[in-house]
Each structure stands twice: as structure tokens, then as C-alpha cells.
Amino acid sequence: MDFSSKLLENAVNEMSQLPGIGKRTALRLVLHLLKQPQQHTELLVNALHTMRDQINFCRNCHNISDTQLCEICANPNRDASIVCVVEDIRDVMAIENTSRFKGQYHVLGGKISPMDGVGPGELTINSLVNKVKEGTIDELIFALSSTMEGDTTNFYIFKQIEGLDVITTTIARGISVGDELEYADEITLGRSIINRIPFESSLKSN
Amino acid sequence: MDFSSKLLENAVNEMSQLPGIGKRTALRLVLHLLKQPQQHTELLVNALHTMRDQINFCRNCHNISDTQLCEICANPNRDASIVCVVEDIRDVMAIENTSRFKGQYHVLGGKISPMDGVGPGELTINSLVNKVKEGTIDELIFALSSTMEGDTTNFYIFKQIEGLDVITTTIARGISVGDELEYADEITLGRSIINRIPFESSLKSN
């Protein structure tokens, strides 16, 4: 792309560094900002700058939080003995939306992925292992996505805490509520048969 | 969406003001910035701020430009007597890419669209009419997209310069090179038959 302005070119180049934003989309976004009053750009720029500059993480669960201890970890009604291990804040938000989990979280900050240069040291695994060693956690629920990286991360953590006095579980994999069996993939359908549950308990979980 | 951090919520809200960016996409983009070194955010923020603050428009064609007169208008080899009327910088870039146009441009900055609150006063139509009145322009090529708003804008400008000594043309509408006739819409195909050209001139334009 040949730009008639270096300023515009710079803005488009930086915008297109964001994931899923190509040069064309970046140009569309930047031209939109130019059409709006200058104040719109200032609000965006300030929000991004302030966030990146002042962002904080909960010292217990490592979720993004404006306070030292996030709302969930600071809530005395949440059960600190059950900890759900997730990848990032989006998973916390998704599980919180269900209103079905009353324990605490541990946010890893990613999954082990050598291809992307993410080893165990980049994640908050040590902090999790230390929490388990303190002996206050009864159950660890693995809720990472079921991919090669997710499974690797689960297994790595499992190995680190092997022998310690903690139960490890993983969220159920199966056919989504409302899905047709014929369109389900074989692995999911197979697992849902092997890990079938008593019909009575399925009634309770509605 | 329930955010655990006001800073994050602010950033996501501002980001989702951009066209085509929903809350979920905005969250993905913002979390990406958080995973990158702080410097990435600073580069983006500075590029956007500087652009919005210092952006300039060519005083002749109103295209975005870092100089008072853009490169095209300042180029003595471009024919100032043929002016192509376009909506915005993207159209200039698209036509420049073809290397087929050696005249100058006039960037309107949009199309007349009462639904979006854009009247003739918001565009650079007056400046165009004045240029035509000066008598240095021989031909005006309308190259707006062929929509209701584009047609309205063309017609409005046409009425403003009626009676002045200038030829007005519009870019050819027809079947795209490489397209199958059976998939073309009726209006385009119909126009391409009515506005057929001598076979010999089609050989020259390859």
C-alpha cells in the first residue's frame, strides 16, 4: 500500500499489528477515527495507555484486577478449597456467567506452547504448585481448552503436584446442550459415552 | 460483560466504538496488548495520537497529505485539466494502483447521505465547484461507488456546475474482467450492453 501521508501510514501499520486486523481493516479503522471529532481518538488513546500502564493482577489468582486481591478472591463466601485452573480472564468471565461455580480461580496466563515460545516459566504454574503445597486446596479443576497445548499444560501441572494431598478433576467433555448427535465429532461423542453419568444427576444439573 | 477491572472495561469500551469491532473482539485485542511488552501499546497510542493531532489535507484536492500540496497535485507531470472525483483516500489509492490515470483527484470526504447526517456542506463540493468556475478543468470524472448516495452526490455536483464549460464523465460500469456472465447482476449486465464499446478500443485498454 502506498500512502500519501507518513502519519497515516504509521497509524495503519501499528493498528495492523493487532491480531486479525489486516492493512485494509486498519486503514478503515483509522479513517473512521479521522472522521470523528478528535476527542474520540483521545478517549481511545488514553484508555489504552492508562490500562497498559496501570493494569494490576490479583496476587492470589493472577486475574486482572484493579485491587491487590480481586473481588472473587476477596469474597469470604467463595470456597478457597476448590480452585478452577483457567487460561485467562475470558474463561473466568465465561464460568462466572454460568453462576455454577462458587470456588476460586487460578489464571495461568496462557498454555504451554513451545511453538509460540511459551514454556512453564512464562505461566503462573509455580504459584499454583506453591498454593497446593500449602495444603489449603482440596480440589483442582482443570478447565483449559481441550487442545494439544491445553492437555500438555494440564499434564505438566498434574506431574508437578503428583503425590500431594489434592484431588484433580477436569470439566466434562460431551455433546453441547441442544446439539444433534449426528453432527458431533467422534472423539467428543465417544468420550460422552465412556464418561456417561447417572440419569438422576443429569436432572439435578438443569 | 462483567469485568474484574475498570481499566480493562474502559479500554474494551473505547475499542468497541470502532466500526466492526464488537465487545468480544475488543477484549481479544486489548488482552493481546497486555501480553505484549508495554512498548507495543505506546507505539500504537503515539501513532494514533500524532496522526489525529497533526493530520493535514492537501489544499487543492483535499486528500490526506503531510504537505500543504500533496505529491500528486505537486507533480508537474500530472494533468490538472482532468479531475477524478472520489469519496476518500482509499479510492485514490485504488486508482493510483492501476497506473492508468494521469490527471488529478478531488476528494469529497464522503457521499451525500441525509440518513447519516451528511449534507453537501460536510463535503468539499464548494471547493470543487469553485475550481470548475476558474475554468482550468476540462473534464470531471465521477468515480463514486454506484449506490443511491453515490448517484445523489454525482447528480448534486452535476447540477451545481451545469452550464459551465466542462465535460463530465463517469467511470464505466460493466462486467468485471474474469467474471462469468451468468453470475452478473441484471443491472450491470444491462448497462454493459447499452454502453458497449468498439472491439478495437477494448484491445487497446489491455
Side-chain angles (χ1 to χ4, degrees):
Chain A
M1 276 192 180
D2 261 358
F3 291 93
S4 57
S5 154
K6 270 278 163 219
L7 293 170
L8 184 72
E9 187 171 3
N10 255 346
V12 169
N13 281 344
E14 288 303 329
M15 205 69 155
S16 64
Q17 300 289 317
L18 294 172
I21 309 273
K23 284 269 165 99
R24 260 165 208 273
T25 308
L27 179 58
R28 191 163 53 82
L29 299 179
V30 166
L31 289 180
H32 171 83
L33 286 176
L34 280 179
K35 277 202 177 181
Q36 302 290 316
Q38 183 155 4
Q39 183 199 355
H40 279 70
T41 307
E42 292 312 315
L43 283 172
L44 171 65
V45 158
N46 286 339
L48 290 179
H49 174 80
T50 316
M51 177 207 66
R52 192 62 187 83
D53 200 45
Q54 296 174 18
I55 201 79
N56 240 314
F57 296 89
C58 170
R59 63 159 193 252
N60 186 45
C61 73
H62 305 282
N63 195 10
I64 295 168
S65 162
D66 293 342
T67 45
Q68 281 237 312
L69 212 56
C70 76
E71 268 183 47
I72 295 173
C73 290
N75 184 344
N77 294 325
R78 308 282 302 217
D79 186 351
S81 70
I82 306 181
V83 171
C84 183
V85 180
V86 294
E87 192 185 332
D88 69 19
I89 188 174
R90 281 173 289 191
D91 304 326
V92 174
M93 289 164 72
I95 297 176
E96 283 299 290
N97 259 341
T98 69
S99 310
R100 290 302 179 100
F101 181 63
K102 295 297 169 206
Q104 292 186 351
Y105 295 92
H106 186 92
V107 179
L108 291 176
K111 291 174 289 193
I112 295 174
S113 172
M115 293 279 282
D116 304 314
V118 181
E122 269 76 46
L123 310 176
T124 62
I125 294 179
N126 275 341
S127 149
L128 176 63
V129 172
N130 287 337
K131 273 200 277 185
V132 173
K133 279 182 182 158
E134 282 167 15
T136 53
I137 300 176
D138 295 334
E139 182 181 352
L140 222 54
I141 308 175
F142 290 126
L144 300 184
S145 53
S146 176
T147 57
M148 175 124 86
E149 289 83 10
D151 290 345
T152 306
T153 313
N154 286 341
F155 191 69
Y156 181 88
I157 298 173
F158 181 74
K159 278 287 167 194
Q160 296 284 309
I161 58 174
E162 217 174 10
L164 295 174
D165 185 23
V166 64
I167 299 167
T168 48
T169 56
T170 174
I171 54 169
R173 308 287 175 187
I175 308 299
S176 290
V177 177
D179 262 13
E180 305 276 356
L181 286 206
E182 55 176 328
Y183 298 120
D185 68 290
E186 292 158 35
I187 298 177
T188 305
L189 187 54
R191 281 207 200 177
S192 78
I193 290 171
I194 292 169
N195 301 318
R196 62 194 177 278
I197 56 163
F199 181 65
E200 272 191 10
S201 37
S202 80
L203 294 175
K204 277 182 222 155
S205 57
N206 277 326
Chain B
M1 276 190 177
D2 261 358
F3 291 94
S4 57
S5 153
K6 271 277 163 217
L7 293 171
L8 184 72
E9 189 172 0
N10 255 345
V12 169
N13 282 343
E14 289 302 330
M15 206 68 155
S16 64
Q17 302 288 318
L18 294 173
I21 308 275
K23 285 268 165 99
R24 259 166 209 273
T25 308
L27 179 58
R28 190 163 54 83
L29 298 179
V30 165
L31 289 179
H32 172 84
L33 286 176
L34 280 177
K35 275 200 177 179
Q36 303 290 317
Q38 182 155 4
Q39 186 200 351
H40 279 70
T41 307
E42 293 311 315
L43 283 173
L44 172 64
V45 158
N46 286 339
L48 290 179
H49 174 79
T50 316
M51 178 209 62
R52 192 62 186 83
D53 200 42
Q54 297 174 16
I55 200 80
N56 240 314
F57 297 89
C58 172
R59 63 157 192 248
N60 185 46
C61 72
H62 305 281
N63 195 11
I64 296 168
S65 162
D66 294 342
T67 44
Q68 281 237 311
L69 212 56
C70 77
E71 268 183 48
I72 295 173
C73 290
N75 185 343
N77 294 323
R78 307 283 302 217
D79 185 353
S81 69
I82 305 181
V83 171
C84 184
V85 180
V86 295
E87 191 185 335
D88 69 17
I89 187 174
R90 281 173 290 188
D91 304 325
V92 174
M93 289 163 73
I95 297 177
E96 282 299 291
N97 259 340
T98 68
S99 309
R100 289 301 178 101
F101 181 62
K102 293 298 168 207
Q104 291 186 352
Y105 295 92
H106 186 92
V107 178
L108 292 176
K111 289 174 290 193
I112 295 175
S113 172
M115 294 280 281
D116 304 316
V118 181
E122 268 77 47
L123 309 177
T124 63
I125 294 180
N126 275 342
S127 149
L128 176 62
V129 173
N130 287 337
K131 271 199 278 184
V132 174
K133 280 182 181 160
E134 283 167 16
T136 52
I137 301 178
D138 294 334
E139 181 180 354
L140 221 53
I141 307 175
F142 291 126
L144 300 183
S145 53
S146 176
T147 58
M148 176 126 85
E149 289 82 10
D151 291 344
T152 306
T153 311
N154 286 342
F155 191 68
Y156 181 88
I157 298 173
F158 181 72
K159 279 286 167 194
Q160 297 282 310
I161 58 175
E162 217 174 9
L164 294 174
D165 184 26
V166 65
I167 298 167
T168 48
T169 56
T170 173
I171 53 168
R173 310 288 175 186
I175 308 299
S176 290
V177 177
D179 262 15
E180 305 275 356
L181 286 207
E182 55 176 328
Y183 297 120
D185 67 290
E186 293 157 34
I187 298 176
T188 305
L189 187 53
R191 282 206 199 178
S192 79
I193 290 171
I194 291 169
N195 301 318
R196 63 195 177 277
I197 57 164
F199 181 66
E200 271 190 12
S201 37
S202 82
L203 295 176
K204 279 182 220 153
S205 59
N206 275 327

